[in-house]
Amino acid sequence: MVDPDLLGRMKGPSMNDFVVNMYKKRGLRGFYAGSFPAVVQIIPYMGLNFALYESIMRWQKEAPSVQKSGLAGFIAGGTSKFIVYPLDTVKKRLQTQVYFAYSNNKYKGWTHCLTTIAKEEGVGALYRGLAPTVLKSMVATSCSFAVFTLTKNTLQSIHDQQFIQNPERSRDK
């Protein structure tokens, strides 16, 4: 059993401490560090995600099932995250440097960060931490598309049942 007094002493800074410290060190700009690479990364990530999902789903001949939609989302999520992961690394490095750097920043911007990591640490450094991130993306995207398909199929079935039971009412709308 863990000593409760020890846990109390191990507590880190609070969110309020973080906000105050960040504002003192970097001002308002500090809260937006890494936001540009985040936007640059999310656009191709989501575009690839949906494009890959739709491509995989088109291979099916029958109506999409929840399981097949989940599998397509699993593949699409992992593939798209793998492709854009270096930008995710850049975003995290820029965000981390703002909080932990006390004087000079090592990276001057997102392109400088990308090239510096590749030169100093090798291209492989851009993919550190890839496995858990890709796995998380695969599971999350799989669940999202499976729930979407389940919801869509359920609503479609409800609509179809209402139309079969009362076709005149459905045509009036």
Side-chain angles (χ1 to χ4, degrees), residues 49-74:
N49 213 351
F50 281 102
L52 290 168
Y53 172 80
E54 286 297 325
S55 295
I56 295 167
M57 293 303 287
R58 282 195 192 119
W59 292 341
Q60 295 184 58
K61 300 212 182 341
E62 67 276 352
S65 70
V66 173
Q67 294 82 5
K68 288 180 181 174
S69 180
L71 180 61
F74 190 80

Side-chain angles (χ1 to χ4, degrees), residues 24-145:
K24 282 181 183 175
K25 282 183 183 178
R26 303 291 176 179
L28 204 51
R29 284 186 72 173
F31 295 102
Y32 296 97
S35 59
F36 185 75
V39 171
V40 168
Q41 176 234 343
I42 199 71
I43 293 169
Y45 170 71
M46 292 308 292
L48 284 166
N49 213 351
F50 281 102
L52 290 168
Y53 172 80
E54 286 297 325
S55 295
I56 295 167
M57 293 303 287
R58 282 195 192 119
W59 292 341
Q60 295 184 58
K61 300 212 182 341
E62 67 276 352
S65 70
V66 173
Q67 294 82 5
K68 288 180 181 174
S69 180
L71 180 61
F74 190 80
I75 295 166
T79 305
S80 55
K81 183 52 97 174
F82 176 79
I83 291 169
V84 301
Y85 192 74
L87 290 172
D88 199 45
T89 300
V90 168
K91 173 193 75 169
K92 289 173 187 165
R93 292 275 185 108
L94 290 172
Q95 290 171 335
T96 304
Q97 104 172 344
V98 167
Y99 185 70
F100 291 108
Y102 292 98
S103 54
N104 292 343
N105 287 336
K106 180 175 184 174
Y107 309 116
K108 294 170 182 41
W110 73 277
T111 53
H112 181 254
C113 182
L114 185 69
T115 56
T116 302
I117 293 170
K119 283 179 190 171
E120 292 180 3
E121 302 173 49
V123 175
L126 294 168
Y127 288 93
R128 279 195 198 123
L130 177 71
T133 303
V134 167
L135 184 59
K136 180 202 111 258
S137 181
M138 293 169 93
V139 171
T141 307
S142 173
C143 290
S144 294
F145 282 118

Side-chain angles (χ1 to χ4, degrees), residues 130-169:
L130 177 71
T133 303
V134 167
L135 184 59
K136 180 202 111 258
S137 181
M138 293 169 93
V139 171
T141 307
S142 173
C143 290
S144 294
F145 282 118
V147 169
F148 167 77
T149 302
L150 176 65
T151 305
K152 180 182 171 195
N153 290 351
T154 302
L155 292 173
Q156 184 103 41
S157 136
I158 292 168
H159 177 267
D160 292 349
Q161 282 291 355
Q162 288 176 347
F163 183 76
I164 291 169
Q165 291 171 357
N166 193 355
E168 279 78 35
R169 185 169 176 227

